[in-house]
Amino acid sequence: MVPQRVSLITIGARDLPELRRFYQKLGWRETEMSSDDYCVFETAGVLLSLFPLQELMKDAGMALEERKGFSGITLAINVDKPEEVDQTIETIRSAGARITREPSNAFWGGRTAYFLDPEQNVWEVAWNPTAVFDERGAMIHF
């Protein structure tokens, strides 16, 4: 049986120092092992690491070709209150992100917004009225 968990998300970075600075501007805490060659941010649910894109593709046994367009994957930051979507997006905007969808009420009853980090990774900021978080802030159910 495969353990049903996501422990680490790694983003392949074209310019790791620049991408690292973006997440630092959000106020995210890094682990002690972080550097401009590889860094890891602590989040409530999983660790988020940044690794040079070409090195990641090589490590994964993939051809070194340029990523193009939307990969079909989004990452999400879920907040506790609807107004926190707007507040979070303003902080993210001031850190230099491109907002692709301004905060708005969602058809499913929550509130949502989307942004791109400096390397065009798609992130959602959302409030879900049915979300349940554990004591660390990790979403365990919605």
Side-chain angles (χ1 to χ4, degrees):
M1 184 167 116
V2 176
Q4 189 171 334
R5 67 173 73 114
V6 176
S7 323
L8 175 72
I9 295 172
T10 300
I11 295 175
R14 289 182 190 91
D15 183 344
L16 197 146
E18 179 185 344
L19 195 57
R20 179 184 184 204
R21 280 190 296 278
F22 171 77
Y23 289 104
Q24 289 171 334
K25 287 179 188 176
L26 299 183
W28 288 15
R29 187 175 57 238
E30 295 177 87
T31 65
E32 292 179 12
M33 68 181 305
S34 292
S35 71
D36 277 347
D37 297 320
Y38 177 73
C39 66
V40 180
F41 290 91
E42 299 173 354
T43 73
V46 300
L47 295 175
L48 175 68
S49 71
L50 306 178
F51 192 57
L53 177 61
Q54 289 191 349
E55 293 299 317
L56 181 59
M57 292 178 77
K58 181 178 167 185
D59 193 48
M62 298 173 67
L64 296 177
E65 54 191 30
E66 188 68 19
R67 253 182 11 183
K68 293 187 179 182
F70 179 51
S71 67
I73 295 173
T74 62
L75 303 166
I77 301 166
N78 282 75
V79 295
D80 296 317
K81 300 174 188 166
E83 60 272 14
E84 289 178 16
V85 172
D86 301 65
Q87 295 162 354
T88 302
I89 283 295
E90 286 312 310
T91 300
I92 290 166
R93 185 189 319 273
S94 64
R98 178 176 154 228
I99 310 305
T100 60
R101 178 178 171 187
E102 293 292 336
S104 60
N105 294 328
F107 71 91
W108 43 266
R111 188 156 179 81
T112 189
Y114 283 85
F115 70 93
L116 299 177
D117 72 15
E119 295 203 1
Q120 311 307 303
N121 296 297
V122 182
W123 284 84
E124 177 186 21
V125 177
W127 169 73
N128 184 327
T130 62
V132 177
F133 299 92
D134 70 11
E135 66 281 350
R136 297 172 305 139
M139 188 178 349
I140 56 175
H141 179 70
F142 69 90

